[in-house]
Protein backbone atom coordinates (compact mmCIF):
# COMPACT_ATOMS: atom_id res chain seq x y z
CA UNK A 1 0.00 0.00 0.00
CA UNK A 2 2.83 2.41 0.84
CA UNK A 3 5.76 1.22 -1.27
CA UNK A 4 4.81 3.46 -4.19
CA UNK A 5 3.18 6.26 -2.21
CA UNK A 6 4.67 9.64 -1.35
CA UNK A 7 4.41 9.46 2.43
CA UNK A 8 5.46 13.12 2.72
CA UNK A 9 1.85 13.94 1.83
CA UNK A 10 0.91 12.71 5.30
CA UNK A 11 3.20 15.17 7.10
CA UNK A 12 0.73 18.04 7.11
CA UNK A 13 -2.32 15.95 7.97
CA UNK A 14 -3.37 15.90 11.61
CA UNK A 15 -3.10 12.42 13.07
CA UNK A 16 -4.58 9.99 13.78
CA UNK A 17 -6.60 9.29 10.63
CA UNK A 18 -7.78 6.40 8.49
CA UNK A 19 -6.12 6.28 5.09
CA UNK A 20 -8.16 4.52 2.39
CA UNK A 21 -6.54 3.17 -0.77
CA UNK A 22 -9.48 3.62 -3.14
CA UNK A 23 -7.63 1.97 -6.04
CA UNK A 24 -7.14 -1.23 -4.04
CA UNK A 25 -10.78 -1.12 -2.91
CA UNK A 26 -12.03 -0.85 -6.49
CA UNK A 27 -9.72 -3.66 -7.63
CA UNK A 28 -10.92 -5.91 -4.81
CA UNK A 29 -14.58 -5.24 -5.61
CA UNK A 30 -14.15 -5.88 -9.32
CA UNK A 31 -12.19 -9.08 -8.63
CA UNK A 32 -14.98 -10.35 -6.38
CA UNK A 33 -17.69 -9.43 -8.88
CA UNK A 34 -15.80 -11.12 -11.70
CA UNK A 35 -15.33 -14.31 -9.70
CA UNK A 36 -19.02 -14.49 -8.76
CA UNK A 37 -20.39 -13.69 -12.23
CA UNK A 38 -19.94 -17.12 -13.90
CA UNK A 39 -22.07 -18.71 -11.18
CA UNK A 40 -24.66 -15.90 -11.09
CA UNK A 41 -24.08 -15.61 -7.34
CA UNK A 42 -25.64 -12.63 -5.51
CA UNK A 43 -23.39 -10.53 -3.24
CA UNK A 44 -24.65 -8.44 -0.32
CA UNK A 45 -22.02 -6.27 1.35
CA UNK A 46 -22.05 -6.52 5.17
CA UNK A 47 -22.25 -2.92 6.35
CA UNK A 48 -21.12 -3.83 9.86
CA UNK A 49 -17.58 -4.21 8.47
CA UNK A 50 -17.46 -0.56 7.43
CA UNK A 51 -20.30 1.86 6.68
CA UNK A 52 -18.10 4.74 5.51
CA UNK A 53 -20.22 6.46 2.84
CA UNK A 54 -17.34 6.82 0.36
CA UNK A 55 -16.75 3.05 0.47
CA UNK A 56 -20.47 2.34 0.23
CA UNK A 57 -20.72 4.42 -2.94
CA UNK A 58 -18.04 2.28 -4.58
CA UNK A 59 -19.71 -0.93 -3.43
CA UNK A 60 -23.11 0.22 -4.69
CA UNK A 61 -21.63 1.12 -8.08
CA UNK A 62 -20.31 -2.42 -8.56
CA UNK A 63 -23.91 -3.65 -8.20
CA UNK A 64 -23.79 -5.43 -4.84
CA UNK A 65 -26.66 -5.46 -2.38
CA UNK A 66 -26.50 -4.68 1.35
CA UNK A 67 -26.48 -6.94 4.40
CA UNK A 68 -27.61 -4.99 7.45
CA UNK A 69 -27.86 -5.84 11.15
CA UNK A 70 -29.67 -2.74 12.40
CA UNK A 71 -32.25 -0.26 11.18
CA UNK A 72 -29.48 2.34 11.14
CA UNK A 73 -27.54 0.27 8.63
CA UNK A 74 -30.69 -0.24 6.56
CA UNK A 75 -31.21 3.53 6.51
CA UNK A 76 -27.58 4.16 5.57
CA UNK A 77 -27.84 1.68 2.69
CA UNK A 78 -30.99 3.38 1.39
CA UNK A 79 -29.49 6.86 1.81
CA UNK A 80 -26.42 5.87 -0.22
CA UNK A 81 -28.64 4.49 -2.96
CA UNK A 82 -28.65 0.71 -2.59
CA UNK A 83 -31.68 -0.93 -4.19
CA UNK A 84 -34.23 -1.72 -1.45
CA UNK A 85 -34.84 -5.05 -3.17
CA UNK A 86 -31.20 -5.99 -2.57
CA UNK A 87 -31.23 -5.25 1.17
CA UNK A 88 -31.34 -8.08 3.70
CA UNK A 89 -31.90 -7.41 7.40
CA UNK A 90 -30.25 -9.85 9.81
CA UNK A 91 -29.63 -9.72 13.54
CA UNK A 92 -30.55 -11.81 16.56
CA UNK A 93 -32.28 -8.91 18.37
CA UNK A 94 -34.32 -6.74 16.00
CA UNK A 95 -36.60 -4.36 17.90
CA UNK A 96 -40.21 -3.75 16.84
CA UNK A 97 -39.21 -0.27 15.71
CA UNK A 98 -36.43 -1.68 13.52
CA UNK A 99 -38.70 -4.32 12.01
CA UNK A 100 -41.30 -1.68 11.20
CA UNK A 101 -38.66 0.43 9.44
CA UNK A 102 -37.66 -2.55 7.34
CA UNK A 103 -41.30 -3.21 6.48
CA UNK A 104 -41.88 0.42 5.51
CA UNK A 105 -38.88 0.31 3.17
CA UNK A 106 -40.04 -2.94 1.49
CA UNK A 107 -36.62 -4.55 1.79
CA UNK A 108 -35.82 -7.83 0.06
CA UNK A 109 -35.72 -10.11 3.07
CA UNK A 110 -35.59 -10.47 6.84
CA UNK A 111 -33.13 -13.13 8.03
CA UNK A 112 -35.08 -14.44 11.03
CA UNK A 113 -33.22 -15.91 13.99
CA UNK A 114 -35.90 -17.23 16.36
CA UNK A 115 -39.44 -18.59 16.37
CA UNK A 116 -40.55 -15.68 18.53
CA UNK A 117 -39.14 -13.25 15.96
CA UNK A 118 -41.24 -14.98 13.29
CA UNK A 119 -44.35 -14.40 15.39
CA UNK A 120 -43.51 -10.74 16.05
CA UNK A 121 -42.67 -10.07 12.40
CA UNK A 122 -45.93 -11.69 11.27
CA UNK A 123 -47.94 -9.51 13.68
CA UNK A 124 -46.19 -6.29 12.67
CA UNK A 125 -46.54 -7.08 8.95
CA UNK A 126 -50.24 -7.84 9.43
CA UNK A 127 -50.76 -4.48 11.16
CA UNK A 128 -49.37 -2.78 8.04
CA UNK A 129 -51.24 -5.02 5.62
CA UNK A 130 -47.95 -6.32 4.20
CA UNK A 131 -46.32 -9.66 3.51
CA UNK A 132 -42.68 -9.83 4.56
CA UNK A 133 -40.20 -12.13 2.84
CA UNK A 134 -38.19 -14.20 5.31
CA UNK A 135 -35.20 -16.53 5.28
CA UNK A 136 -34.67 -18.75 8.30
CA UNK A 137 -31.21 -18.41 9.81
CA UNK A 138 -30.20 -21.87 10.93
CA UNK A 139 -27.41 -22.65 13.36
CA UNK A 140 -25.66 -25.51 11.50
CA UNK A 141 -23.21 -26.41 14.30
CA UNK A 142 -20.22 -26.00 11.97
CA UNK A 143 -16.92 -25.03 13.58
CA UNK A 144 -15.33 -22.16 11.64
CA UNK A 145 -11.93 -22.70 13.35
CA UNK A 146 -11.55 -19.00 14.06
CA UNK A 147 -11.34 -16.90 17.24
CA UNK A 148 -14.03 -17.97 19.72
CA UNK A 149 -15.31 -14.39 20.01
CA UNK A 150 -16.20 -14.28 16.29
CA UNK A 151 -17.57 -17.82 15.88
CA UNK A 152 -21.33 -17.78 15.25
CA UNK A 153 -22.33 -21.21 13.93
CA UNK A 154 -22.05 -23.52 16.95
CA UNK A 155 -24.80 -24.81 19.24
CA UNK A 156 -23.35 -22.69 22.04
CA UNK A 157 -23.77 -19.43 20.07
CA UNK A 158 -26.75 -17.09 20.35
CA UNK A 159 -27.30 -16.85 16.60
CA UNK A 160 -29.90 -18.61 14.49
CA UNK A 161 -32.49 -21.32 15.06
CA UNK A 162 -31.17 -24.67 16.26
CA UNK A 163 -31.99 -27.83 14.33
CA UNK A 164 -34.18 -29.27 17.08
CA UNK A 165 -36.46 -26.22 16.87
CA UNK A 166 -37.05 -26.50 13.13
CA UNK A 167 -40.30 -28.56 13.36
CA UNK A 168 -41.89 -25.82 15.49
CA UNK A 169 -40.42 -23.20 13.14
CA UNK A 170 -42.05 -24.92 10.15
CA UNK A 171 -45.43 -24.99 11.87
CA UNK A 172 -45.14 -21.32 12.76
CA UNK A 173 -44.31 -20.46 9.16
CA UNK A 174 -47.31 -22.39 7.85
CA UNK A 175 -49.63 -20.39 10.10
CA UNK A 176 -48.05 -17.00 9.40
CA UNK A 177 -50.26 -15.42 6.74
CA UNK A 178 -48.18 -12.26 6.50
CA UNK A 179 -44.84 -13.96 5.94
CA UNK A 180 -43.46 -15.49 2.78
CA UNK A 181 -40.74 -18.07 3.27
CA UNK A 182 -38.13 -17.70 0.52
CA UNK A 183 -35.09 -19.55 1.82
CA UNK A 184 -32.54 -20.49 4.44
CA UNK A 185 -29.64 -18.47 5.80
CA UNK A 186 -26.34 -19.36 7.47
CA UNK A 187 -23.35 -17.49 8.84
CA UNK A 188 -20.78 -19.55 10.72
CA UNK A 189 -18.21 -16.94 11.74
CA UNK A 190 -15.72 -14.32 10.69
CA UNK A 191 -12.06 -14.21 9.55
CA UNK A 192 -12.25 -17.73 8.11
CA UNK A 193 -9.08 -18.63 6.21
CA UNK A 194 -9.47 -22.41 5.99
CA UNK A 195 -11.73 -22.82 2.96
CA UNK A 196 -12.40 -26.47 3.82
CA UNK A 197 -14.74 -25.15 6.51
CA UNK A 198 -17.10 -24.04 3.74
CA UNK A 199 -17.25 -27.57 2.35
CA UNK A 200 -18.69 -28.67 5.70
CA UNK A 201 -21.15 -25.78 5.56
CA UNK A 202 -22.31 -26.82 2.08
CA UNK A 203 -23.10 -30.32 3.34
CA UNK A 204 -25.27 -28.85 6.08
CA UNK A 205 -26.98 -26.41 3.69
CA UNK A 206 -27.91 -29.31 1.43
CA UNK A 207 -29.34 -31.24 4.37
CA UNK A 208 -31.44 -28.37 5.66
CA UNK A 209 -32.65 -27.46 2.18
CA UNK A 210 -33.86 -31.04 1.71
CA UNK A 211 -35.53 -30.93 5.14
CA UNK A 212 -37.59 -27.86 4.26
CA UNK A 213 -38.49 -29.23 0.85
CA UNK A 214 -39.68 -32.47 2.47
CA UNK A 215 -42.00 -30.34 4.60
CA UNK A 216 -43.54 -28.78 1.49
CA UNK A 217 -41.60 -25.49 1.41
CA UNK A 218 -40.13 -24.01 -1.76
CA UNK A 219 -36.54 -22.94 -1.09
CA UNK A 220 -35.75 -20.15 -3.52
CA UNK A 221 -32.69 -18.68 -1.77
CA UNK A 222 -29.64 -20.34 -0.26
CA UNK A 223 -27.92 -17.59 1.73
CA UNK A 224 -24.56 -18.93 2.90
CA UNK A 225 -23.41 -15.76 4.69
CA UNK A 226 -19.81 -14.63 4.52
CA UNK A 227 -16.88 -14.73 6.90
CA UNK A 228 -14.07 -15.00 4.32
CA UNK A 229 -10.87 -13.77 5.95
CA UNK A 230 -7.89 -11.67 4.88
CA UNK A 231 -4.14 -12.00 5.43
CA UNK A 232 -3.28 -9.66 8.30
CA UNK A 233 0.37 -10.74 8.28
CA UNK A 234 1.08 -9.93 4.60
CA UNK A 235 -1.26 -7.08 3.73
CA UNK A 236 0.41 -5.59 0.64
CA UNK A 237 -1.96 -5.76 -2.32
CA UNK A 238 -3.52 -8.90 -0.91
CA UNK A 239 -6.89 -9.67 -2.47
CA UNK A 240 -8.66 -12.80 -1.18
CA UNK A 241 -8.89 -15.77 -3.54
CA UNK A 242 -12.51 -15.21 -4.52
CA UNK A 243 -12.25 -17.73 -7.36
CA UNK A 244 -11.39 -20.56 -4.97
CA UNK A 245 -14.01 -19.38 -2.49
CA UNK A 246 -16.93 -19.30 -4.93
CA UNK A 247 -15.84 -22.54 -6.62
CA UNK A 248 -16.30 -24.43 -3.37
CA UNK A 249 -19.96 -23.45 -3.23
CA UNK A 250 -20.45 -24.23 -6.90
CA UNK A 251 -18.88 -27.67 -6.42
CA UNK A 252 -20.45 -28.70 -3.12
CA UNK A 253 -23.87 -27.02 -2.99
CA UNK A 254 -26.72 -28.92 -4.61
CA UNK A 255 -28.16 -25.91 -6.43
CA UNK A 256 -31.42 -26.34 -8.33
CA UNK A 257 -32.01 -24.27 -11.50
CA UNK A 258 -34.72 -22.29 -9.70
CA UNK A 259 -32.51 -21.38 -6.72
CA UNK A 260 -30.36 -18.33 -6.07
CA UNK A 261 -27.20 -18.42 -3.95
CA UNK A 262 -26.55 -15.32 -1.86
CA UNK A 263 -23.40 -14.24 0.00
CA UNK A 264 -22.83 -11.63 2.71
CA UNK A 265 -19.20 -10.53 2.44
CA UNK A 266 -17.68 -7.71 4.47
CA UNK A 267 -14.07 -7.91 5.67
CA UNK A 268 -12.88 -9.64 2.49
CA UNK A 269 -14.04 -6.65 0.42
CA UNK A 270 -12.76 -3.75 2.50
CA UNK A 271 -10.30 -5.08 5.09
CA UNK A 272 -7.05 -4.37 3.23
CA UNK A 273 -8.21 -1.03 1.85
CA UNK A 274 -7.32 1.07 4.90
CA UNK A 275 -4.56 1.73 7.42
CA UNK A 276 -4.72 3.69 10.65
CA UNK A 277 -2.04 6.39 10.43
CA UNK A 278 -0.70 7.60 13.76
CA UNK A 279 2.21 9.62 15.08
CA UNK A 280 4.58 8.70 17.89
CA UNK A 281 4.02 11.00 20.84
CA UNK A 282 6.70 9.57 23.11
CA UNK A 283 9.35 6.85 23.19
CA UNK A 284 9.83 5.19 26.57
CA UNK A 285 12.92 3.01 26.94
CA UNK A 286 13.06 0.80 30.02
CA UNK A 287 15.04 -2.09 31.46
CA UNK A 288 12.42 -4.71 30.53
CA UNK A 289 10.19 -2.96 27.99
CA UNK A 290 10.45 -0.29 25.35
CA UNK A 291 7.30 1.59 24.38
CA UNK A 292 6.16 3.65 21.44
CA UNK A 293 3.22 5.75 22.62
CA UNK A 294 1.03 6.67 19.63
CA UNK A 295 -1.63 9.34 19.33
CA UNK A 296 -4.10 6.63 18.21
CA UNK A 297 -5.54 4.24 20.72
CA UNK A 298 -8.21 1.63 21.27
CA UNK A 299 -10.75 4.40 20.73
CA UNK A 300 -9.66 4.48 17.08
CA UNK A 301 -9.01 0.75 16.57
CA UNK A 302 -10.72 -1.58 19.03
CA UNK A 303 -9.84 -4.99 17.54
CA UNK A 304 -6.53 -5.65 19.38
CA UNK A 305 -8.07 -4.79 22.76
CA UNK A 306 -11.35 -6.58 22.04
CA UNK A 307 -10.05 -9.94 20.84
CA UNK A 308 -6.26 -9.71 20.69
CA UNK A 309 -6.34 -9.19 16.92
CA UNK A 310 -3.05 -8.91 15.07
CA UNK A 311 -2.32 -5.95 12.78
CA UNK A 312 0.99 -5.42 11.03
CA UNK A 313 2.60 -2.20 12.26
CA UNK A 314 5.07 -0.20 10.17
CA UNK A 315 7.20 2.83 10.96
CA UNK A 316 6.71 4.79 7.74
CA UNK A 317 9.33 7.37 8.66
CA UNK A 318 12.21 4.96 9.29
CA UNK A 319 11.58 2.18 6.79
CA UNK A 320 11.67 -1.60 7.14
CA UNK A 321 14.92 -2.23 9.02
CA UNK A 322 14.20 -3.89 12.38
CA UNK A 323 16.57 -3.19 15.27
CA UNK A 324 14.58 -3.10 18.49
CA UNK A 325 11.38 -4.47 19.99
CA UNK A 326 8.68 -2.13 21.24
CA UNK A 327 5.27 -2.46 22.74
CA UNK A 328 3.17 -0.23 20.47
CA UNK A 329 0.58 1.41 22.70
CA UNK A 330 -1.97 4.21 22.68
CA UNK A 331 -2.78 7.09 25.04
CA UNK A 332 -5.98 5.68 26.56
CA UNK A 333 -6.13 5.14 30.32
CA UNK A 334 -6.48 1.35 29.99
CA UNK A 335 -3.78 -1.32 30.11
CA UNK A 336 -5.50 -3.07 27.20
CA UNK A 337 -4.76 -0.05 24.98
CA UNK A 338 -2.04 -1.88 23.10
CA UNK A 339 -1.70 -2.56 19.37
CA UNK A 340 1.17 -5.04 19.64
CA UNK A 341 3.71 -6.40 22.10
CA UNK A 342 7.41 -6.93 21.37
CA UNK A 343 6.99 -5.66 17.81
CA UNK A 344 10.27 -5.46 15.89
CA UNK A 345 10.80 -1.94 14.57
CA UNK A 346 13.62 0.40 13.56
CA UNK A 347 14.83 2.67 16.33
CA UNK A 348 11.92 5.09 16.57
CA UNK A 349 11.61 8.71 17.58
CA UNK A 350 8.99 11.20 18.63
CA UNK A 351 7.10 12.41 15.56
CA UNK A 352 7.58 9.25 13.49
CA UNK A 353 4.58 8.20 11.42
CA UNK A 354 3.23 4.69 11.92
CA UNK A 355 0.76 2.68 9.87
CA UNK A 356 -1.41 0.02 11.46
CA UNK A 357 -2.35 -2.07 8.46
CA UNK A 358 -5.46 -4.02 7.37
CA UNK A 359 -7.78 -1.68 9.26
CA UNK A 360 -10.51 -1.30 6.64
CA UNK A 361 -12.89 -3.66 8.43
CA UNK A 362 -14.08 -3.19 12.01
CA UNK A 363 -11.82 -0.19 12.42
CA UNK A 364 -13.37 3.20 11.81
CA UNK A 365 -16.88 1.89 12.49
CA UNK A 366 -15.95 0.66 15.98
CA UNK A 367 -14.30 3.93 17.02
CA UNK A 368 -15.62 5.45 20.23
CA UNK A 369 -15.64 8.71 22.18
CA UNK A 370 -14.20 7.09 25.30
CA UNK A 371 -11.98 9.55 27.22
CA UNK A 372 -13.84 12.23 25.19
CA UNK A 373 -11.49 11.65 22.29
CA UNK A 374 -11.86 13.68 19.10
CA UNK A 375 -13.66 11.93 16.27
CA UNK A 376 -11.39 10.05 13.87
CA UNK A 377 -11.22 11.42 10.33
CA UNK A 378 -10.72 9.68 6.98
CA UNK A 379 -8.36 10.50 4.10
CA UNK A 380 -8.61 8.94 0.63
CA UNK A 381 -5.79 8.16 -1.78
CA UNK A 382 -7.62 9.66 -4.75
CA UNK A 383 -7.81 13.00 -2.94
CA UNK A 384 -4.08 13.35 -2.18
Amino acid sequence: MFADKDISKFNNIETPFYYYDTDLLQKTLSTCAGAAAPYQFHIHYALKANFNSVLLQEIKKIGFGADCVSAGEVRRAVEVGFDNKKIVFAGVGKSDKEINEGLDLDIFCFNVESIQELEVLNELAAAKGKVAQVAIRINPNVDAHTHHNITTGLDENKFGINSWDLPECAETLKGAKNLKFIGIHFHIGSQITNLDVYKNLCVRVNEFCAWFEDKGFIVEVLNVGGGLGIDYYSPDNQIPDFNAYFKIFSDFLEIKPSQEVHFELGRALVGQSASLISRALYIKNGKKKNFVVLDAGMTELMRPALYQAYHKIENLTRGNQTEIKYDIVGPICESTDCFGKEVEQPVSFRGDLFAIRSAGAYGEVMASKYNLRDAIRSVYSNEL
Side-chain angles (χ1 to χ4, degrees), residues 160-176:
I161 296 175
N162 291 304
S163 58
W164 54 84
D165 289 323
L166 288 180
E168 183 182 352
C169 174
E171 289 304 310
T172 302
L173 279 169
K174 289 177 180 178

Side-chain angles (χ1 to χ4, degrees), residues 102-156:
L103 290 168
D104 290 340
L105 290 168
D106 293 318
I107 63 173
F108 171 65
C109 182
F110 291 85
N111 293 339
V112 176
E113 303 209 20
S114 68
I115 294 169
Q116 194 168 36
E117 184 187 342
L118 276 177
E119 296 168 342
V120 170
L121 179 55
N122 185 56
E123 292 174 4
L124 295 175
K128 292 180 177 292
K130 294 191 173 188
V131 175
Q133 295 195 144
V134 299
I136 300 301
R137 177 171 179 177
I138 301 170
N139 188 329
N141 197 30
V142 170
D143 190 350
H145 302 297
T146 185
H147 193 285
H148 67 275
N149 283 358
I150 51 177
T151 295
T152 62
L154 296 174
D155 286 345
E156 65 194 54

Side-chain angles (χ1 to χ4, degrees), residues 216-242:
F217 292 92
I218 298 174
V219 182
E220 302 173 19
V221 172
L222 304 175
N223 187 328
V224 296
L228 180 62
I230 61 173
D231 189 344
Y232 282 92
Y233 291 86
S234 301
D236 284 321
N237 298 313
Q238 288 286 339
I239 295 177
D241 191 347
F242 293 113

Side-chain angles (χ1 to χ4, degrees), residues 176-193:
K177 305 302 182 186
N178 292 83
L179 301 181
K180 180 186 177 183
F181 171 86
I182 64 169
I184 50 180
H185 171 236
F186 305 83
H187 182 68
I188 57 173
S190 186
Q191 186 48 23
I192 299 170
T193 54

Side-chain angles (χ1 to χ4, degrees), residues 7 14-15 72 74-75 78 95 109 116 128 151 176 182 197 244 259 262 264-265 302 309 320 366 370 382:
I7 305 304
E14 182 179 354
T15 54
V74 172
R75 287 195 299 272
V78 172
S95 69
C109 182
Q116 194 168 36
K128 292 180 177 292
T151 295
I182 64 169
V197 167
Q259 289 178 328
H262 290 232
E264 297 167 346
L265 293 169
M302 173 64 78
N320 295 323
M366 296 178 77
Y370 185 48
N382 58 359

Side-chain angles (χ1 to χ4, degrees), residues 44-53 56 65-84 86-91 94 98 101-102 105 107 264-266 362 365-366:
H44 303 269
Y45 168 67
L47 266 76
K48 69 176 182 176
N50 196 325
F51 46 72
N52 178 300
S53 293
L56 292 182
D67 163 43
C68 305
V69 293
S70 73
E73 288 187 357
V74 172
R75 287 195 299 272
R76 175 65 62 86
V78 172
E79 289 166 0
V80 169
F82 281 86
D83 184 347
N84 295 39
K86 290 184 178 181
I87 295 176
V88 296
F89 189 179
K94 307 178 192 71
E98 289 181 306
E101 287 194 51
L105 290 168
I107 63 173
E264 297 167 346
L265 293 169
Y362 308 104
V365 292
M366 296 178 77

Side-chain angles (χ1 to χ4, degrees), residues 124 167 180 204 208 266 286 293:
L124 295 175
K180 180 186 177 183
R204 299 296 282 156
F208 287 117
V293 183

